């Protein structure tokens, strides 16, 4: 907290950040309580952004947000020979007690403030938490969830990136709303929070009253979340400048295209595991589900029920996922016609294969090959390049 106070005092002396919240805002772009109004003109005052330093947070995303928000306006001016200009954002890391802690991968995180002494935020962001989708959270994050709920009631915008949706969902604020998260977490979230409509294919999503909930989906979609916050509070021109400086990719490829289709729920059933092992080797044969039923020795309905409980999908859906995952790898690595790929993974009707692929992957087989085949070749060249 001392660092935050000294930064505020220093910026006040320079004249870039006035001393009081009343002085820091103009009637045209702020609410009566002194907060910046979302979707208004570019901010006329500092936007306070609290980055949640929760247990298991990854330093890359947490401080990535910090760096990107700190660079708004400042870096563009610097690169174009302008004078020193302060960012309209004031990010800081906040945790339950303000004490240093080890984040994911053992990286030491040093918060700027605790929940009790942090400045009143305009935005609170849950950058991510590195936990498995099905890992029981128990009461580990109860303090953070309660604080998020309080800040939202106090008028703050809540944002989450990737697996940070796990905490946002626990607040209950997503009930009845559309939401997104990393593709690997959406199945679990849909099961645990059925009142929320989960969209793993969405990159960035706004929800709730006054759009005061903003969520980003998979992996580096946090870049898009940061850009969305910048556009909302500082204007789209500033967001585009940040994207151009940092070479942030604004492509519209669905996160589903990156997903591993054969993920499961982690429930262990020896009979189902045996069927899965068989399917992994024989997915292309005719009538694979009936062969899995025969291998299990169970009645068909019993087998299908246990399989769905253990994997989160029916046996037929599971076979489709295995086939499509193999097809993705073939499209990445080779140049065989789509019809040949379809036949090799078990589909005689290439039209059906293409429609199924499009529905599950959000790209046609040809589009997938163009995008990820190029990436695979580039990575292969990088791996074998002699330096």
């Amino acid at each position: 907290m001392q660092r935050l106070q000294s930064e505020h005092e220093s910026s006040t002396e320079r004249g870039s950040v006035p001393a009081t919240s009343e002085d820091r805002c103009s009637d045209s772009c702020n609410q009566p309580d002194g907060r910046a109004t979302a979707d208004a003109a570019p901010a006329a005052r500092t936007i306070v952004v609290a980055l949640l330093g929760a247990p298991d947070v990854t330093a890359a995303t947490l401080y990535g947000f910090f760096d990107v928000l700190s660079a708004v306006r400042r870096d563009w001016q610097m690169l174009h020979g302008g004078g020193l200009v302060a960012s309209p954002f004031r990010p800081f890391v906040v945790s339950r007690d303000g004490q240093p802690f080890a984040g994911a991968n053992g990286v030491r995180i040093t918060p700027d403030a605790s929940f009790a002494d942090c400045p009143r935020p305009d935005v609170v962001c849950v950058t991510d938490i590195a936990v498995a989708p099905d890992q029981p959270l128990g009461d580990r994050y109860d303090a953070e969830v309660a604080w998020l709920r309080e800040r939202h009631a106090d008028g703050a915008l809540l944002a989450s990136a990737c697996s940070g949706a796990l905490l946002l969902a626990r607040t209950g604020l997503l009930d009845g709303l559309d939401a997104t998260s990393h593709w690997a977490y959406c199945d679990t979230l849909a099961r645990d929070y059925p009142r929320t409509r989960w969209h793993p294919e969405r990159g960035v999503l706004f929800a709730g009253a006054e759009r005061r909930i903003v969520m980003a989906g998979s992996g580096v979609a946090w870049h898009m979340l940061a850009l969305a916050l910048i556009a909302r509070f500082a204007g789209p021109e500033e967001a585009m400048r940040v994207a151009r400086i940092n070479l942030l990719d604004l492509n519209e490829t669905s996160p589903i295209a990156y997903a591993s289709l054969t993920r499961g729920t982690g429930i262990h059933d020896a009979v189902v595991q045996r069927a899965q092992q068989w399917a992994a080797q024989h997915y292309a044969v005719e009538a694979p589900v009936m062969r899995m039923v025969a291998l299990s020795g169970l009645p068909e309905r019993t087998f299908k029920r246990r399989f769905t409980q253990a994997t989160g999908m029916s046996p037929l859906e599971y076979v489709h996922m295995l086939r499509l995952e193999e097809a993705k790898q073939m499209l990445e690595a080779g140049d065989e016609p789509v019809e040949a790929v379809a036949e090799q993974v078990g589909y005689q009707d290439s039209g059906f294969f293409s429609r199924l692929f499009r529905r599950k992957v959000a790209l046609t087989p040809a589009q997938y090959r163009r995008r990820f085949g190029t990436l695979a070749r580039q990575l292969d060249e990088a791996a074998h390049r002699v330096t």
Side-chain angles (χ1 to χ4, degrees):
M1 188 62 183
Q2 183 178 1
R3 187 170 84 184
L4 285 172
Q5 291 172 336
S6 63
E7 288 176 353
H8 176 75
E9 292 166 359
S10 174
S11 59
T12 301
E13 291 171 1
R14 293 194 304 268
S16 60
V17 182
T20 66
S21 60
E22 290 77 13
D23 292 335
R24 289 187 300 185
C25 61
S26 65
D27 293 337
S28 64
C29 69
N30 294 313
Q31 297 178 0
D33 67 354
R35 289 180 181 277
T37 302
D39 300 324
R45 72 168 182 94
T46 299
I47 308 302
V48 179
V49 181
L51 304 173
L52 185 60
D56 301 308
V57 67
T58 65
T61 307
L62 181 71
Y63 289 114
F65 263 102
F66 195 106
D67 287 341
V68 167
L69 294 177
S70 297
V72 176
R73 194 173 296 157
R74 180 199 67 191
D75 285 7
W76 184 266
Q77 292 295 323
M78 176 185 68
L79 294 176
H80 289 79
L84 180 63
V85 177
S87 169
F89 294 91
R90 180 191 181 199
F92 66 95
V93 178
V94 61
S95 69
R96 61 178 68 177
D97 58 11
Q99 297 300 309
F101 67 96
N105 303 309
V107 178
R108 186 172 179 81
I109 307 295
T110 303
D112 299 300
S114 68
F115 291 165
D117 61 14
C118 72
R120 186 184 185 194
D122 298 290
V123 179
V124 177
C125 186
V126 188
T127 58
D128 68 349
I129 51 173
V131 299
D134 285 308
Q135 179 177 327
L137 301 183
D139 60 0
R140 180 172 174 79
Y141 297 99
D142 283 1
E144 287 75 16
V145 169
W147 187 75
L148 289 169
R149 196 180 296 115
E150 291 169 1
R151 298 288 67 75
H152 188 263
D154 195 35
L157 179 150
L158 298 187
S160 72
C162 197
S163 55
L166 291 170
L167 299 193
L168 219 53
R170 290 170 76 90
T171 66
L173 296 170
L174 301 182
D175 287 357
L177 302 180
D178 294 304
T180 189
S181 181
H182 190 284
W183 53 262
Y185 292 79
C186 280
D187 289 345
T188 297
L189 287 165
R191 180 195 67 205
D192 294 344
Y193 303 97
R195 295 182 180 179
T196 301
R197 298 179 294 274
W198 294 96
H199 300 276
E201 77 282 1
R202 298 287 293 274
V204 176
L205 184 151
F206 294 83
E210 301 176 337
R211 303 198 308 166
R212 285 197 297 117
I213 294 176
V214 188
M215 306 179 74
S218 302
V220 293
W222 74 262
H223 293 165
M224 291 300 296
L225 177 59
L227 292 176
L229 293 175
I230 294 168
R232 186 162 181 172
F233 287 99
E237 183 178 1
E238 295 292 352
M240 182 57 69
R241 287 174 172 176
V242 170
R244 291 172 64 186
I245 291 172
N246 294 282
L247 307 182
L248 301 183
D249 187 1
L250 299 178
N251 75 79
E252 297 180 354
T253 300
S254 169
I256 291 297
Y258 296 83
S260 172
L261 299 175
T262 54
R263 59 194 182 278
T265 63
I267 299 176
H268 298 293
D269 183 317
V271 173
V272 172
Q273 287 181 331
R274 185 183 178 195
Q276 287 179 291
Q277 291 168 357
W278 180 90
Q281 300 296 322
H282 303 92
Y283 54 80
V285 303
E286 187 177 354
V289 173
M290 295 311 300
R291 298 193 186 195
M292 292 163 68
V293 172
L295 179 67
S296 73
L298 298 172
E300 181 178 347
R301 292 183 60 182
T302 301
F303 171 76
K304 290 182 176 179
R305 174 178 53 79
R306 285 175 58 172
F307 194 98
T308 300
Q309 289 177 339
T311 67
M313 61 187 79
S314 71
L316 181 58
E317 290 174 325
Y318 188 80
V319 170
H320 282 321
M321 295 306 101
L322 287 173
R323 290 174 171 180
L324 292 179
E325 194 65 37
E326 178 63 22
K328 289 167 69 175
Q329 295 183 36
M330 293 177 66
L331 291 167
E332 292 170 13
D335 55 5
E336 292 182 272
V338 171
E339 294 79 7
V341 172
E343 184 176 1
Q344 288 188 49
V345 299
Y347 297 106
Q348 301 303 313
D349 185 343
S350 62
F352 173 81
F353 164 73
S354 294
R355 292 191 297 273
L356 180 65
F357 193 98
R358 174 72 177 268
R359 187 166 71 248
K360 295 295 186 180
V361 184
L363 295 173
T364 67
Q367 290 171 332
Y368 186 90
R369 168 175 279 159
R370 284 195 297 271
R371 180 162 188 81
F372 292 95
T374 299
L375 176 60
R377 287 191 296 273
Q378 290 173 338
L379 293 175
D380 185 66
E381 291 173 3
H384 295 89
R385 184 173 297 158
V386 177
T387 58

